[in-house]
Amino acid sequence: MRRSGAELDPDDGRELLTERTPRVAAARKLLRRASRFDAGRFLVEGVRPVHEALTWAGESPGRVHDLFLTDAVADRDPTLEERARALGVRVARVTEKAAAGLSDTVTPQGVAAVCSTVTVALETALAGSPRLVAVLVGVADPGNAGTVIRTGDAAGADAVVLAGDSRNQPVDPHNGKCVRSTMGSLFHVPLAVSRDVDAVVTALRDRGLTLLAAAGDGETVLDAAADALLAAPTAWLFGSEAHGLDERTAALADHRVRVPIHGRAESLNLATAAAVCLYASARAHH
Amino acid sequence: MRRSGAELDPDDGRELLTERTPRVAAARKLLRRASRFDAGRFLVEGVRPVHEALTWAGESPGRVHDLFLTDAVADRDPTLEERARALGVRVARVTEKAAAGLSDTVTPQGVAAVCSTVTVALETALAGSPRLVAVLVGVADPGNAGTVIRTGDAAGADAVVLAGDSRNQPVDPHNGKCVRSTMGSLFHVPLAVSRDVDAVVTALRDRGLTLLAAAGDGETVLDAAADALLAAPTAWLFGSEAHGLDERTAALADHRVRVPIHGRAESLNLATAAAVCLYASARAHH
């Protein structure tokens, strides 16, 4: 007798879970921020991101809980199921419709994993002696946040912090678009989320980090002359794409730094400005 | 008697053009690439981008043809109509629905201008003695292309070239999403489009530019040691986000350069990699 919500695979008669199967329905709820918060779990979609999640689970088992995939994906990449089973992940084949229900994109990938959330406490993210930290203040766009997490990873950042007050709630890095934009870096860099910007600034200062606020009208220009400044352990504060860093937060930094504009552009976008700043630090550190 | 497709403004009885007015219908067609190509015109949407277009038309009149705006936008920013009229632009108030029809976004801005296309011949874009040129090869994503145009402007690039073969058609920089991503830089930097990558490479070499291919597996690392190389007049070749620069094109460059990855990210995205490369050149030049 078939389980609730299961369908028989037309090819081999095996069971395929449908969108009505309780496990699939529960996973689907993780597309909502509140459900992710309550469950402490989130969804990772796509062959390559799921492989990244499995590698992450390999370092500390028990962090990937379910793997849902269609026959088509399992046939294309048999290592997905093998790796997941070896790690004790519950594996289930699902219908195309069930897989689509686990996706927030218009082109579902046919594979999704339920993972424990990756964020850690601020103290944990800043443990050791961090030399480069990226802080996003009031950044609400998940694509921008994900790109900065990816860039921070590439530039060798020791942590990324998503900060913002209650009016300006920080983005949830477990949001599907943010996860995709990180291209796996979500699993590489210690990530913390905090609504208390002052507490973040205090914690960074306590660890001896120089605080640099990226600001289009900053007094310090990010050029060769800034190398001595950048050689110190540094936390960069970046504001939102639309509004930049608020005055109050910028004033908490040791220096307000601007990327020089040599042409007639008024500004850079958040992700490219962050890339220039973080790589200027990486260059000074290496 | 009212003109075809006009409605009376409920407030002051003036005529508002509707989506059926021939001028509005003709402008709407410019949302399609083929129509832009045929007409040599494109649409710019939004208060700030339209102001940028008017500034551009101020430098060389006759390049903005029509301004369509709703009463709400005209009330909010009276300078739009004033500036346009002073430049001899045909101005018309339109209904909200007509304005929405001139937009390819889900949140229409209520104002759009019909402009002459901005692209110039490759020889024109490379006139003078360019010291920094960004070349996008086979980049199809308009958001990426627009962001690199904006970054190129900020970094002081003398030109941006969109290249690609017939299979891998270069993005049209007049695409709505690309225009928005440039944040006005479309009007600042000489832009050329060419399907013939070899001709682009030859033209760059003829002008004495060192050709650097951005490649994740490049032999040359973009670090302090590369400064001597970057001091020369340089053309950067960037490939698509998905596939990078094709082998054949990369082999045409003088050096294959990689942005160092200090963490565990596999790569940077196109726009952030281009920002790091172009700003490394800007730093070496200034």
Side-chain angles (χ1 to χ4, degrees):
Chain A
M1 182 170 159
R2 283 189 285 147
R3 281 175 292 174
S4 151
E7 281 178 10
L8 292 187
D9 189 321
D11 291 332
D12 60 11
R14 278 200 301 179
E15 280 186 352
L16 293 178
L17 305 192
T18 74
E19 67 283 4
R20 294 181 308 280
T21 313
R23 271 161 69 194
V24 177
R28 185 175 186 164
K29 286 190 182 148
L30 300 176
L31 293 173
R32 295 202 307 266
R33 183 176 188 150
S35 300
R36 292 194 293 271
F37 183 81
D38 291 343
R41 296 183 174 192
F42 74 115
L43 280 170
V44 172
E45 191 200 356
V47 171
R48 187 144 155 199
V50 167
H51 271 301
E52 293 272 359
L54 293 171
T55 299
W56 172 71
E59 293 161 10
S60 172
R63 299 197 285 196
V64 176
H65 309 281
D66 281 289
L67 175 68
F68 299 110
L69 75 178
T70 61
D71 284 350
V73 170
D75 289 350
R76 215 160 55 230
D77 183 355
T79 65
L80 273 172
E81 285 184 317
E82 289 161 19
R83 291 189 69 204
R85 289 218 169 83
L87 289 164
V89 176
R90 217 161 34 157
V91 176
R93 297 282 182 98
V94 297
T95 62
E96 296 283 347
K97 189 175 171 195
L102 296 174
S103 173
D104 60 357
T105 67
V106 288
T107 51
Q109 302 293 300
V111 55
V114 175
C115 305
S116 294
T117 50
V118 300
T119 44
V120 295
L122 185 61
E123 302 71 47
T124 308
L126 301 179
S129 300
R131 290 181 51 76
L132 184 58
V133 177
V135 184
L136 297 180
V137 181
V139 171
D141 181 81
N144 274 333
T147 302
V148 177
I149 292 168
R150 179 179 178 188
T151 306
D153 181 16
D158 299 295
V160 177
V161 181
L162 306 170
D165 60 27
S166 53
R167 274 182 312 125
N168 220 344
Q169 176 169 256
V171 68
D172 177 9
H174 306 98
N175 166 298
K177 188 171 179 194
C178 183
V179 172
R180 286 190 294 282
S181 302
T182 71
M183 291 289 282
S185 291
L186 186 80
F187 298 115
H188 301 159
V189 187
L191 274 181
V193 176
S194 170
R195 297 194 183 205
D196 187 344
V197 177
D198 289 356
V200 171
V201 166
T202 301
L204 295 165
R205 221 182 265 300
D206 285 351
R207 274 151 193 86
L209 292 153
T210 299
L211 267 64
L212 301 183
D217 61 349
E219 301 81 21
T220 304
V221 182
L222 191 72
D223 59 12
D227 274 1
L229 183 64
L230 296 178
T234 297
W236 279 100
L237 309 180
F238 302 109
S240 74
E241 170 76 16
H243 306 107
L245 205 55
D246 63 285
E247 289 292 327
R248 199 182 148 276
T249 304
L252 295 174
D254 298 302
H255 302 274
R256 296 167 71 256
V257 181
R258 73 170 191 271
V259 175
I261 302 290
H262 302 290
R264 291 199 285 155
E266 192 176 311
S267 64
L268 290 167
N269 82 14
L270 165 60
T272 55
V276 174
C277 293
L278 292 170
Y279 263 92
S281 286
R283 178 187 162 126
H285 289 177
H286 289 275
Chain B
M1 180 169 159
R2 283 187 284 149
R3 282 176 291 174
S4 150
E7 280 179 11
L8 292 186
D9 189 319
D11 290 333
D12 59 11
R14 278 200 301 179
E15 279 187 352
L16 294 178
L17 304 193
T18 73
E19 68 282 2
R20 295 180 308 280
T21 313
R23 270 163 69 195
V24 177
R28 184 176 187 163
K29 285 190 182 147
L30 301 175
L31 293 173
R32 294 201 309 263
R33 181 176 188 148
S35 300
R36 292 192 294 269
F37 184 81
D38 290 344
R41 297 184 174 192
F42 75 116
L43 280 171
V44 172
E45 191 200 356
V47 172
R48 185 142 159 202
V50 167
H51 271 301
E52 293 273 357
L54 293 171
T55 299
W56 172 71
E59 292 159 12
S60 173
R63 299 197 286 195
V64 176
H65 310 280
D66 281 290
L67 175 68
F68 299 111
L69 74 177
T70 61
D71 284 349
V73 170
D75 290 348
R76 211 159 57 229
D77 183 356
T79 65
L80 273 170
E81 284 184 317
E82 290 163 16
R83 293 189 68 202
R85 288 218 170 82
L87 289 164
V89 176
R90 209 157 45 152
V91 176
R93 298 282 181 99
V94 298
T95 63
E96 296 282 347
K97 189 176 171 193
L102 297 172
S103 172
D104 60 356
T105 67
V106 288
T107 51
Q109 304 291 303
V111 54
V114 175
C115 305
S116 293
T117 50
V118 300
T119 45
V120 295
L122 185 61
E123 303 70 48
T124 309
L126 300 180
S129 300
R131 292 182 49 75
L132 184 58
V133 177
V135 185
L136 297 180
V137 182
V139 171
D141 181 81
N144 274 332
T147 302
V148 176
I149 291 168
R150 178 179 177 188
T151 306
D153 180 16
D158 299 295
V160 176
V161 181
L162 305 170
D165 60 27
S166 53
R167 273 182 312 124
N168 219 345
Q169 176 169 256
V171 69
D172 176 9
H174 306 99
N175 165 297
K177 188 172 178 192
C178 183
V179 173
R180 285 191 293 281
S181 302
T182 71
M183 290 291 281
S185 290
L186 186 81
F187 298 114
H188 303 160
V189 186
L191 275 181
V193 176
S194 171
R195 296 193 184 208
D196 187 343
V197 177
D198 288 357
V200 171
V201 166
T202 301
L204 295 166
R205 220 182 266 301
D206 285 351
R207 275 151 193 86
L209 291 154
T210 298
L211 268 64
L212 302 183
D217 61 349
E219 301 81 21
T220 303
V221 182
L222 191 72
D223 58 14
D227 275 359
L229 182 63
L230 297 178
T234 297
W236 279 99
L237 309 180
F238 302 108
S240 73
E241 169 75 17
H243 307 106
L245 205 54
D246 64 285
E247 289 291 326
R248 198 182 148 277
T249 305
L252 296 173
D254 298 301
H255 303 273
R256 297 167 71 255
V257 181
R258 74 170 191 272
V259 176
I261 302 289
H262 301 290
R264 292 199 284 156
E266 192 175 313
S267 64
L268 289 167
N269 82 15
L270 165 60
T272 54
V276 173
C277 293
L278 292 169
Y279 264 92
S281 286
R283 177 187 162 124
H285 289 179
H286 289 276

